[in-house]
PDB file of all heavy atoms in Angstrom:
ATOM      1  N   ALA A 111     -14.561  -5.437  22.528  1.00 89.00           N
ATOM      2  CA  ALA A 111     -15.106  -6.783  22.416  1.00 89.00           C
ATOM      3  C   ALA A 111     -16.158  -6.797  21.301  1.00 89.00           C
ATOM      4  O   ALA A 111     -16.624  -5.735  20.868  1.00 89.00           O
ATOM      5  CB  ALA A 111     -15.728  -7.191  23.750  1.00 89.00           C
ATOM      6  N   PRO A 112     -16.566  -7.978  20.826  1.00 92.00           N
ATOM      7  CA  PRO A 112     -17.584  -8.049  19.767  1.00 92.00           C
ATOM      8  C   PRO A 112     -18.890  -7.327  20.110  1.00 92.00           C
ATOM      9  O   PRO A 112     -19.568  -6.825  19.222  1.00 92.00           O
ATOM     10  CB  PRO A 112     -17.820  -9.556  19.600  1.00 92.00           C
ATOM     11  CG  PRO A 112     -16.539 -10.182  20.023  1.00 92.00           C
ATOM     12  CD  PRO A 112     -16.017  -9.310  21.145  1.00 92.00           C
ATOM     13  N   ASN A 113     -19.216  -7.227  21.401  1.00 90.00           N
ATOM     14  CA  ASN A 113     -20.448  -6.528  21.798  1.00 90.00           C
ATOM     15  C   ASN A 113     -20.272  -5.012  21.853  1.00 90.00           C
ATOM     16  O   ASN A 113     -21.199  -4.299  22.210  1.00 90.00           O
ATOM     17  CB  ASN A 113     -20.963  -7.057  23.139  1.00 90.00           C
ATOM     18  CG  ASN A 113     -20.035  -6.719  24.305  1.00 90.00           C
ATOM     19  OD1 ASN A 113     -18.986  -6.105  24.121  1.00 90.00           O
ATOM     20  ND2 ASN A 113     -20.415  -7.147  25.491  1.00 90.00           N
ATOM     21  N   GLY A 114     -19.062  -4.515  21.541  1.00 86.00           N
ATOM     22  CA  GLY A 114     -18.802  -3.081  21.530  1.00 86.00           C
ATOM     23  C   GLY A 114     -18.216  -2.538  22.813  1.00 86.00           C
ATOM     24  O   GLY A 114     -17.819  -1.379  22.866  1.00 86.00           O
ATOM     25  N   GLU A 115     -18.137  -3.370  23.843  1.00 86.00           N
ATOM     26  CA  GLU A 115     -17.569  -2.912  25.121  1.00 86.00           C
ATOM     27  C   GLU A 115     -16.073  -2.687  24.963  1.00 86.00           C
ATOM     28  O   GLU A 115     -15.350  -3.546  24.445  1.00 86.00           O
ATOM     29  CB  GLU A 115     -17.831  -3.961  26.201  1.00 86.00           C
ATOM     30  CG  GLU A 115     -17.303  -3.564  27.559  1.00 86.00           C
ATOM     31  CD  GLU A 115     -17.545  -4.640  28.611  1.00 86.00           C
ATOM     32  OE1 GLU A 115     -18.269  -5.615  28.342  1.00 86.00           O
ATOM     33  OE2 GLU A 115     -16.988  -4.496  29.705  1.00 86.00           O
ATOM     34  N   LEU A 116     -15.604  -1.515  25.409  1.00 86.00           N
ATOM     35  CA  LEU A 116     -14.183  -1.199  25.301  1.00 86.00           C
ATOM     36  C   LEU A 116     -13.357  -2.116  26.186  1.00 86.00           C
ATOM     37  O   LEU A 116     -13.730  -2.420  27.312  1.00 86.00           O
ATOM     38  CB  LEU A 116     -13.929   0.258  25.697  1.00 86.00           C
ATOM     39  CG  LEU A 116     -14.464   1.312  24.736  1.00 86.00           C
ATOM     40  CD1 LEU A 116     -14.279   2.704  25.321  1.00 86.00           C
ATOM     41  CD2 LEU A 116     -13.791   1.213  23.384  1.00 86.00           C
ATOM     42  N   LEU A 117     -12.219  -2.550  25.651  1.00 88.00           N
ATOM     43  CA  LEU A 117     -11.283  -3.371  26.412  1.00 88.00           C
ATOM     44  C   LEU A 117     -10.371  -2.466  27.230  1.00 88.00           C
ATOM     45  O   LEU A 117     -10.289  -1.270  26.984  1.00 88.00           O
ATOM     46  CB  LEU A 117     -10.461  -4.239  25.464  1.00 88.00           C
ATOM     47  CG  LEU A 117     -11.248  -5.187  24.564  1.00 88.00           C
ATOM     48  CD1 LEU A 117     -10.307  -5.891  23.602  1.00 88.00           C
ATOM     49  CD2 LEU A 117     -12.023  -6.196  25.393  1.00 88.00           C
ATOM     50  N   GLY A 118      -9.663  -3.025  28.159  1.00 89.00           N
ATOM     51  CA  GLY A 118      -8.745  -2.273  28.984  1.00 89.00           C
ATOM     52  C   GLY A 118      -9.173  -2.313  30.435  1.00 89.00           C
ATOM     53  O   GLY A 118     -10.230  -2.838  30.780  1.00 89.00           O
ATOM     54  N   SER A 119      -8.330  -1.748  31.285  1.00 91.00           N
ATOM     55  CA  SER A 119      -8.630  -1.725  32.716  1.00 91.00           C
ATOM     56  C   SER A 119      -9.157  -0.360  33.107  1.00 91.00           C
ATOM     57  O   SER A 119      -8.833   0.645  32.484  1.00 91.00           O
ATOM     58  CB  SER A 119      -7.383  -2.074  33.526  1.00 91.00           C
ATOM     59  OG  SER A 119      -6.362  -1.132  33.270  1.00 91.00           O
ATOM     60  N   GLY A 120      -9.962  -0.344  34.149  1.00 87.00           N
ATOM     61  CA  GLY A 120     -10.513   0.904  34.650  1.00 87.00           C
ATOM     62  C   GLY A 120     -11.984   0.756  34.957  1.00 87.00           C
ATOM     63  O   GLY A 120     -12.698   0.007  34.291  1.00 87.00           O
ATOM     64  N   PHE A 121     -12.430   1.461  35.989  1.00 83.00           N
ATOM     65  CA  PHE A 121     -13.809   1.339  36.456  1.00 83.00           C
ATOM     66  C   PHE A 121     -14.712   2.445  35.922  1.00 83.00           C
ATOM     67  O   PHE A 121     -15.913   2.361  36.024  1.00 83.00           O
ATOM     68  CB  PHE A 121     -13.855   1.344  37.993  1.00 83.00           C
ATOM     69  CG  PHE A 121     -13.133   0.171  38.588  1.00 83.00           C
ATOM     70  CD1 PHE A 121     -11.937   0.337  39.252  1.00 83.00           C
ATOM     71  CD2 PHE A 121     -13.652  -1.108  38.467  1.00 83.00           C
ATOM     72  CE1 PHE A 121     -11.268  -0.742  39.797  1.00 83.00           C
ATOM     73  CE2 PHE A 121     -12.991  -2.200  39.000  1.00 83.00           C
ATOM     74  CZ  PHE A 121     -11.795  -2.016  39.673  1.00 83.00           C
ATOM     75  N   THR A 122     -14.134   3.482  35.372  1.00 84.00           N
ATOM     76  CA  THR A 122     -14.931   4.587  34.843  1.00 84.00           C
ATOM     77  C   THR A 122     -15.003   4.450  33.323  1.00 84.00           C
ATOM     78  O   THR A 122     -14.675   3.404  32.772  1.00 84.00           O
ATOM     79  CB  THR A 122     -14.298   5.943  35.217  1.00 84.00           C
ATOM     80  OG1 THR A 122     -13.027   6.046  34.566  1.00 84.00           O
ATOM     81  CG2 THR A 122     -14.106   6.063  36.725  1.00 84.00           C
ATOM     82  N   ASP A 123     -15.398   5.510  32.651  1.00 87.00           N
ATOM     83  CA  ASP A 123     -15.431   5.445  31.186  1.00 87.00           C
ATOM     84  C   ASP A 123     -14.038   5.576  30.579  1.00 87.00           C
ATOM     85  O   ASP A 123     -13.868   5.427  29.378  1.00 87.00           O
ATOM     86  CB  ASP A 123     -16.394   6.486  30.618  1.00 87.00           C
ATOM     87  CG  ASP A 123     -15.920   7.909  30.814  1.00 87.00           C
ATOM     88  OD1 ASP A 123     -15.204   8.167  31.794  1.00 87.00           O
ATOM     89  OD2 ASP A 123     -16.268   8.763  29.991  1.00 87.00           O
ATOM     90  N   ILE A 124     -13.016   5.837  31.393  1.00 91.00           N
ATOM     91  CA  ILE A 124     -11.633   5.874  30.917  1.00 91.00           C
ATOM     92  C   ILE A 124     -11.040   4.475  31.055  1.00 91.00           C
ATOM     93  O   ILE A 124     -11.036   3.899  32.131  1.00 91.00           O
ATOM     94  CB  ILE A 124     -10.760   6.872  31.719  1.00 91.00           C
ATOM     95  CG1 ILE A 124     -11.326   8.279  31.659  1.00 91.00           C
ATOM     96  CG2 ILE A 124      -9.309   6.837  31.243  1.00 91.00           C
ATOM     97  CD1 ILE A 124     -11.132   8.995  30.365  1.00 91.00           C
ATOM     98  N   LYS A 125     -10.559   3.926  29.957  1.00 91.00           N
ATOM     99  CA  LYS A 125      -9.929   2.610  29.954  1.00 91.00           C
ATOM    100  C   LYS A 125      -8.447   2.769  29.660  1.00 91.00           C
ATOM    101  O   LYS A 125      -8.042   3.600  28.846  1.00 91.00           O
ATOM    102  CB  LYS A 125     -10.556   1.695  28.894  1.00 91.00           C
ATOM    103  CG  LYS A 125     -12.024   1.427  29.119  1.00 91.00           C
ATOM    104  CD  LYS A 125     -12.258   0.670  30.399  1.00 91.00           C
ATOM    105  CE  LYS A 125     -13.730   0.384  30.598  1.00 91.00           C
ATOM    106  NZ  LYS A 125     -14.029  -0.077  31.924  1.00 91.00           N
TER     107      LYS A 125
END
Side-chain angles (χ1 to χ4, degrees):
N113 67 359
E115 181 181 351
L116 291 174
L117 301 175
S119 60
F121 297 109
T122 65
D123 68 331
I124 302 286
K125 298 296 181 192

